[in-house]
Amino acid sequence: MKKKLVTAVVGLSLLFSIGTGSAFAATKMDNTIQDLMGIDYKYGGTTTKGFDCSGFVKYVFDKFNVELPRSSSSQYEVGDKVKKDELRPGDLVFFNTSGSGISHVGIYVGNGQFAHASTSKGTRIDDLSMDYYEKRYVGAKRILSSKQYDSFASYEK
C-alpha cells in the first residue's frame, strides 16, 4: 500500500510539473502553446502540418487576434523593446542564428524559457540560458497591451 501511495504522489508531482506555466493554473496562451508542442519544423510553415519559427509565433498570436508580420526580422520591427530581466509571458525573444541579423524568434513563456520552432526538433520549449541561445540572443519585444496580457497571458486573474 505504501508503495502505491508513493507512486501516486510521484505521478501527481510529474503531472503538475509538466507544461509551460504554473503547476495549478495555465493561461490561455500556455494552453495554446502546449497544444502545438512536438509539431515538425517546416521551412515556410504556418500551420499545424509544420511550422518555421515566425510561422509558429504568428499562428499563436493569430489565435488571440493579435496581428504580426510574417518574418522574424519583420516581427522584430514591431512592439516595444524589453530588457531581458523584465520579460513576461507573451513577449517575443529574438536571435541571430544565421550570423546576419534577426533570424529566429520565440515566445517567452516564463521561468527563463521560450517556445519556438527548432529546425532540428520542431516546436518545443527551451531555456534562454542554453549556451546556443544565450550567445545568439539579440533582444525582446513586448507585443501585448496590458489588457491583452491580462486577458490571456497573465496568471493573475
Side-chain angles (χ1 to χ4, degrees), residues 89-103:
D91 289 342
L92 302 186
V93 289
F94 296 90
F95 306 87
N96 178 350
T97 57
S98 66
S100 58
I102 302 297
S103 54

Side-chain angles (χ1 to χ4, degrees), residues 56-123:
F56 169 73
V57 168
K58 185 167 175 31
Y59 184 92
V60 170
F61 279 80
D62 282 350
K63 292 291 182 187
F64 299 104
N65 297 313
V66 176
E67 287 189 39
L68 287 175
R70 174 61 183 93
S71 71
S72 57
S73 59
S74 294
Q75 290 172 357
Y76 187 68
E77 299 301 317
V78 299
D80 298 315
K81 287 185 180 182
V82 180
K83 293 179 183 177
K84 198 173 192 180
D85 63 353
E86 295 176 358
L87 287 169
R88 70 180 187 193
D91 289 342
L92 302 186
V93 289
F94 296 90
F95 306 87
N96 178 350
T97 57
S98 66
S100 58
I102 302 297
S103 54
H104 190 64
V105 62
I107 304 167
Y108 185 73
V109 295
N111 299 322
Q113 298 181 313
F114 70 107
H116 65 121
S118 161
T119 56
S120 60
K121 298 179 181 175
T123 52

